[in-house]
Amino acid sequence: GEDVEQSLFLSVREGDSSVINCTYTDSSSTYLYWYKQEPGAGLQLLTYIFSNMDMKQDQRLTVLLNKKDKHLSLRIADTQTGDSAIYFCAESAIGGSARQLTFGSGTQLTVLP
Amino acid sequence: NAGVTQTPKFQVLKTGQSMTLQCAQDMNHEYMSWYRQDPGMGLRLIHYSVGAGITDQGEVPNGYNVSRSTTEDFPLRLLSAAPSQTSVYFCASSYLTGNYNGYTFGSGTRLTVV
C-alpha cells in the first residue's frame, strides 16, 4: 500500500530557512499536501501541489516536488517562532476514493530564538 | 460558518464503556472521514463516507462503527472501549468533485480509556 515517510524532528534558529522533507511510494499520487498542526488543534492545510508541477511558491512557503524520486519538500523562509508546529505531508491517489489521504508521521519543527 | 465541529473535546472512559464521538460539517461536503492520531504514527484512517447512506472501512476500523444518515453528520461509535483506543480523534471532510482544496479538519477529541 501507500507509504509516506518524514523525519520526526527538525530544529532551526529564528530567521533561518526550514526545509522539511517527505518521501512517498505511490507513483499514482495526483495531489501532495502539507498540513500544519499547532498544539491542541486540528490540522490546517498549508499548501498543495499537483503531481504535474515541480514547484509551487506561496509567500514564505516553497514546495518542491521531484516526481522521479518521489520526494516532496517544504521550505519555510525566514522561520518565525509562530512556525513551531507539527508539519504533515500527505498524498492522494487515483483509484478507490480519490479523496483518501495517506499521511506521514509528521515532523515536529522547533524554532529556537 | 463553523466548518467541522467535533464534540466532546475531551473524554475519559472506563474500559468496556461505549460512547459516540460527534462530527458535523456545514459546508455540504460529500466526503467525511475519521482519523486517529497517535505519537509517531501520523494519522490513521478509521472509517470514511462518500455520501449519506454510504460508509466504508479504513486502515484501523476494528472496535469502531459509523453511520451517515445525513450529509452533515458522521458520528463515530466506540462499542466497548479499550485502553488501546486512547488517542486523539479527528474528523475531516471535503468535496468529492470540482475544485479540490484538501480536507477541512475538526479540532479533535482527546479520548482516554482507563
Side-chain angles (χ1 to χ4, degrees):
Chain A
E2 304 90 356
D3 196 18
V4 179
E5 295 194 357
Q6 305 175 237
S7 53
L8 290 180
F9 303 100
L10 176 66
S11 293
V12 299
R13 294 280 178 193
E14 191 173 12
D16 288 349
S17 292
S18 308
V19 179
I20 303 171
N21 294 302
C22 169
T23 58
Y24 61 97
T25 58
D26 191 339
S27 58
S28 65
S29 294
T30 53
Y31 302 88
L32 296 122
Y33 306 86
W34 285 104
Y35 283 84
K36 177 183 180 182
Q37 184 183 31
E38 296 181 350
L43 278 71
Q44 175 189 7
L45 180 66
L46 277 181
T47 186
Y48 65 97
I49 189 169
F50 296 112
S51 59
N52 62 357
M53 297 170 63
D54 298 325
M55 185 181 89
K56 181 178 181 181
Q57 188 149 4
D58 184 2
Q59 299 181 333
R60 292 190 298 122
L61 304 179
T62 303
V63 178
L64 295 177
L65 175 61
N66 182 328
K67 196 173 180 182
K68 174 177 170 290
D69 294 338
K70 299 190 185 69
H71 182 266
L72 182 74
S73 67
L74 174 70
R75 178 177 180 270
I76 305 172
D78 187 26
T79 312
Q80 303 297 308
T81 54
D83 295 323
S84 291
I86 301 176
Y87 290 81
F88 289 93
C89 169
E91 58 98 19
S92 70
I94 297 172
S97 168
R99 300 311 188 189
Q100 283 192 36
L101 298 189
T102 301
F103 288 86
S105 55
T107 299
Q108 172 75 60
L109 174 65
T110 302
V111 182
L112 306 170
Chain B
N1 190 347
V4 178
T5 303
Q6 289 185 238
T7 56
K9 291 192 183 303
F10 301 95
Q11 183 71 49
V12 178
L13 288 179
K14 293 183 178 179
T15 298
Q17 286 185 316
S18 62
M19 79 159 294
T20 300
L21 280 62
Q22 302 291 344
C23 174
Q25 53 89 11
D26 60 0
M27 298 168 285
N28 206 31
H29 284 169
E30 301 95 340
Y31 184 85
M32 297 186 73
S33 55
W34 278 101
Y35 286 86
R36 59 177 289 173
Q37 182 181 24
D38 301 292
M41 300 187 73
L43 282 82
R44 292 182 292 169
L45 181 65
I46 304 172
H47 285 285
Y48 66 95
S49 168
V50 298
I54 306 168
T55 64
D56 207 345
Q57 296 180 350
E59 180 186 356
V60 288
N62 292 341
Y64 307 95
N65 273 357
V66 291
S67 60
R68 185 95 179 269
S69 56
T70 67
T71 299
E72 294 78 19
D73 299 297
F74 191 46
L76 178 72
R77 281 182 287 278
L78 279 70
L79 308 172
S80 177
S84 60
Q85 294 178 304
T86 294
S87 187
V88 182
Y89 292 84
F90 287 102
C91 180
S93 70
S94 74
Y95 291 112
L96 268 180
T97 58
N99 289 334
Y100 182 46
N101 294 318
Y103 288 1
T104 301
F105 280 85
S107 57
T109 296
R110 185 174 296 273
L111 175 69
T112 302
V113 182
V114 297

